[in-house]
């Protein structure tokens, strides 16, 4: 193993000293090994390993850096015993420069007897290490799958140099941390795969169920619409003629109830068989701004602040008025949820490009959607609102419109609390879809 032996002695003292040293080293290794095998939490592994290392003689400081994702810098991820000044200097280090940056770039361990005398020490660190009384210093690379991911360093505030056994100990601990980094990466990758599978499965089940509900809703709406038209027509005729006051009062009540039923049927039909979209080139940012201008006074009076983040996107081929209807409904729902939960909040609207499409996000910091309700909120007539507040058709209509546009609409809860509705729309119609009017 290539070592820069400057500052590293090959003996650990007489036989009498060797046994306690060995025991101390084994304890450090055991602490790091236990941390790696007992948790997938990288922070905990780092914390426990660094803590153990500073107990080699009791005069150590330990520092752990990881290479930034762009590979240009080393970021401080943990330390023990560092002064504030030294921590500030170590916060971000350049790759390839200075003692630690050099180890990260070369992948070779390095030990020095007196750090203040090292020529390639970063100028900013020279005075501080001297003032902090740091003398001997060793730094080793942290590797996983042959790649250098960071560095682990140990400094000593005592005149004694590091032994080769101590350098090996540091390398063993660095290997354990490398293992933990790899475990954490594998764990988060497999979690992401499971989540993606779960999302895909839920979306398929929902789409299948909604298409079954589609057919039923279309049939029921059609069947109810005919008798309703007759009732409304006959009431209208009767109200035109000479009718006693009490009878006309009753007729007016029938008229109001029948009109309400007709409105529900109309919404239901729109969900099941959305009006044909009148598609034209449509600027999504313009429609978002228009919805916000119209909703602004309602949001303001409900004490809701708005954050708008609109990236540049392509013009889509869509029905602007239907798109506004969907967005207005999502904004209304978010306002209702936030106002009911805590009398105000923040609405976030984001627009970003997708390959071949656009993505709109409407997020709130309200109570979110109960887990058991999530698979049902797009079903017609599903509502958790009072009888005068909602009929449970808004989201199902919105779903129908977006589907008709060849897009997707779904909801999820955000980790920080609140609900997120996502609309994805293609820029133009996909080949498998009907063209307007066809
Ligand atoms: P309605 O608004 O008439 O209830 P919708 O179809 O628009 O009908 O919504 C169905 C249900 O979805 C709501 O009753 C509510 O439970 C839930 N929901 C919709 N948006 C949100 C939101 N932003 N936060 C929490 N729950 C929501």
């Amino acid at each position: 193993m290539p070592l820069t032996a400057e500052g590293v002695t090959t003996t650990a003292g007489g036989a009498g000293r060797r046994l306690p040293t060995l025991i101390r080293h084994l304890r450090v290794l055991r602490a790091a090994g236990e941390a790696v095998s007992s948790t997938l939490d990288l922070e905990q592994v780092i914390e426990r390993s660094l803590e153990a290392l500073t107990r080699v003689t009791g005069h150590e400081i330990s520092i752990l850096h990881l290479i930034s994702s762009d590979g240009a810098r080393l970021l401080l991820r943990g330390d023990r015993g560092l002064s504030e000044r030294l921590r500030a200097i170590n916060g971000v280090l350049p790759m390839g420069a200075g003692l630690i940056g050099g180890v990260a770039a070369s992948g070779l361990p390095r030990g020095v007897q007196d750090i203040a005398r090292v020529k390639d020490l970063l100028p900013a660190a020279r005075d501080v290490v001297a003032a902090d009384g740091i003398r001997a210093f060793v730094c080793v690379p942290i590797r996983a799958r042959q790649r250098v991911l960071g560095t682990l360093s140990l400094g000593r505030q005592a005149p004694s140099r590091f032994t080769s056994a101590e350098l090996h100990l540091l390398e063993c601990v660095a290997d354990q941390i490398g293992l933990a980094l790899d475990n954490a990466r594998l764990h988060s990758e497999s979690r992401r795969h499971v989540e993606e599978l779960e999302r895909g499965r839920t979306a398929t089940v929902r789409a299948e169920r909604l298409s079954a509900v589609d057919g039923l809703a279309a049939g029921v709406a059609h069947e109810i619409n005919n008798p309703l038209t007759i009732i409304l027509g006959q009431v209208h005729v009767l109200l035109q003629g000479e009718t006693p006051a009490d009878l006309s009062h009753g007729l007016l009540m029938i008229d109001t109830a029948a009109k309400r039923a007709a409105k529900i049927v109309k919404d239901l039909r729109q969900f099941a068989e959305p009006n044909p979209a009148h598609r034209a080139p449509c600027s999504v940012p313009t429609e978002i701004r228009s919805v916000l201008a119209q909703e602004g006074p309602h949001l303001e009076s409900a004490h809701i602040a708005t954050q708008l983040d609109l990236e540049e996107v392509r013009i889509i081929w869509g029905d602007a008025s239907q798109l506004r209807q969907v967005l207005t409904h999502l904004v209304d729902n978010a306002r209702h949820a936030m106002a009911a939960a805590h009398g105000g909040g923040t609405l976030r609207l984001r627009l970003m490009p997708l390959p071949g499409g656009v993505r709109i996000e409407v997020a709130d910091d309200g109570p979110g959607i109960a887990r058991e309700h999530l698979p049902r909120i797009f079903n017609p007539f599903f509502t958790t609102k009072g009888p005068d507040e909602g009929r449970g058709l808004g989201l199902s209509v919105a779903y129908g419109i977006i589907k008709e546009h060849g897009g997707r609409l779904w909801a999820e809860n955000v980790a920080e609390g609140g609900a997120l509705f996502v609309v994805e729309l293609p820029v133009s119609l996909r080949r498998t879809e009907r063209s307007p009017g066809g």
Side-chain angles (χ1 to χ4, degrees):
M1 183 196 355
L3 296 183
T4 305
E6 179 202 350
V8 176
T9 59
T10 46
T11 53
R17 253 189 74 196
R18 245 177 259 143
L19 197 57
T21 305
L22 186 65
I23 291 171
R24 270 202 310 272
H25 288 190
L26 285 174
R27 280 199 189 122
V28 174
L29 271 181
R30 194 168 152 216
E34 266 178 5
V36 175
S37 57
S38 67
T39 174
L40 278 166
D41 183 344
L42 188 61
E43 301 303 327
Q44 270 194 44
V45 173
I46 292 178
E47 195 171 313
R48 281 153 65 175
S49 305
L50 291 183
E51 180 67 41
L53 275 172
T54 52
R55 282 192 245 117
V56 178
T57 63
H59 297 290
E60 283 85 12
I61 57 157
S62 54
I63 314 172
L64 188 140
H65 284 96
L66 291 183
I67 298 176
S68 61
S69 49
D70 61 4
R73 290 155 301 143
L74 282 154
L75 309 176
L76 182 67
R77 276 298 292 271
D79 69 83
R80 276 288 175 288
L82 278 195
S83 67
E84 276 308 316
R85 288 176 304 176
L86 211 47
R87 185 173 298 123
I89 288 169
N90 271 287
V92 181
L93 295 176
M95 192 67 177
L99 210 152
I100 297 177
V103 169
S106 68
L108 299 176
R110 186 152 173 209
V112 296
Q113 184 180 352
D114 189 352
I115 190 169
R117 293 200 187 160
V118 171
K119 287 200 182 71
D120 55 351
L121 187 67
L122 288 178
R126 194 171 296 281
D127 289 346
V128 181
V129 289
D132 284 4
I134 296 170
R135 308 284 292 274
F137 192 85
V138 279
C139 177
V140 299
I142 298 172
R143 281 201 181 81
R145 294 172 191 251
Q146 320 297 338
R147 269 185 55 219
V148 177
L149 301 181
T151 58
L152 182 61
S153 314
L154 213 52
R156 186 163 276 166
Q157 289 158 316
S160 58
R161 55 183 57 194
F162 282 98
T163 65
S164 55
E166 286 168 340
L167 187 62
H168 289 313
L169 170 71
L170 194 64
E171 286 182 312
C172 287
V173 175
D175 286 347
Q176 301 271 20
I177 294 174
L179 204 62
L181 282 168
D182 212 34
N183 284 346
R185 184 185 59 82
L186 285 174
H187 179 64
S188 77
E189 261 175 28
S190 53
R191 205 171 51 196
R192 211 179 51 240
H193 285 150
V194 169
E195 279 170 9
E196 264 166 26
L197 278 175
E198 182 61 24
R199 253 205 304 276
R201 198 182 66 86
T202 315
T204 313
V205 170
R206 184 180 304 146
E208 277 171 4
R209 202 183 39 235
L210 279 176
S211 82
V213 176
D214 262 13
L216 187 66
V220 170
H222 185 74
E223 290 306 321
I224 294 179
N225 206 38
N226 290 345
L228 268 181
T229 313
I230 297 172
I231 294 171
L232 279 166
Q234 290 302 314
V235 168
H236 190 70
V237 170
L238 290 171
L239 281 170
Q240 299 292 308
E242 295 280 312
T243 35
D246 55 344
L247 190 58
S248 67
H249 178 69
L251 285 171
L252 280 173
M253 280 173 67
I254 295 174
D255 187 60
T256 309
K259 278 185 179 146
R260 184 160 181 265
K263 168 86 177 74
I264 294 175
V265 168
K266 186 168 159 251
D267 284 348
L268 196 54
R269 288 185 82 164
Q270 206 186 347
F271 155 70
E273 304 167 333
N275 290 336
H278 297 294
R279 292 197 179 87
C282 165
S283 154
V284 181
T286 307
E287 301 315 326
I288 293 180
R289 286 206 175 87
S290 142
V291 167
L292 276 186
Q294 172 201 311
E295 290 294 301
H298 306 296
L299 291 167
E300 218 167 279
S301 62
H303 307 290
I304 288 166
T306 309
Q307 280 176 9
L308 199 55
D309 179 4
L310 305 182
E311 285 177 44
E312 206 164 304
V313 295
R314 286 165 62 190
I315 294 286
I316 68 162
W317 183 247
D319 184 321
S321 118
Q322 290 192 346
L323 182 58
R324 280 199 303 275
Q325 184 183 346
V326 170
L327 294 176
T328 304
H329 194 75
L330 296 182
V331 169
D332 273 350
N333 272 350
R335 170 171 59 84
H336 183 278
M338 290 187 280
H342 29 251
T346 304
L347 172 76
R348 282 178 293 118
L349 268 159
R350 289 183 70 197
L351 170 66
M352 62 203 92
L354 291 178
V358 304
R359 176 180 165 111
I360 309 166
E361 293 184 358
V362 181
D364 61 61
D365 56 5
I369 302 159
R371 211 181 158 73
E372 64 275 20
H373 292 162
L374 254 180
R376 299 167 60 202
I377 56 171
F378 293 99
N379 289 354
F381 300 113
F382 175 81
T383 181
T384 52
K385 298 177 185 168
D388 296 330
E389 290 176 316
R391 292 195 310 277
L393 282 170
L395 283 181
S396 50
V397 169
Y399 186 92
I401 292 176
I402 298 300
K403 195 175 95 180
E404 189 63 12
H405 274 75
R408 302 197 300 152
L409 165 64
W410 75 92
E412 48 194 70
N413 284 315
V414 279
E416 311 82 64
L420 166 70
F421 284 81
V422 183
V423 178
E424 286 185 355
L425 286 167
V427 164
S428 56
L429 281 185
R430 294 191 182 117
R431 245 187 237 136
T432 48
E433 284 170 66
R434 282 176 283 143
S435 57

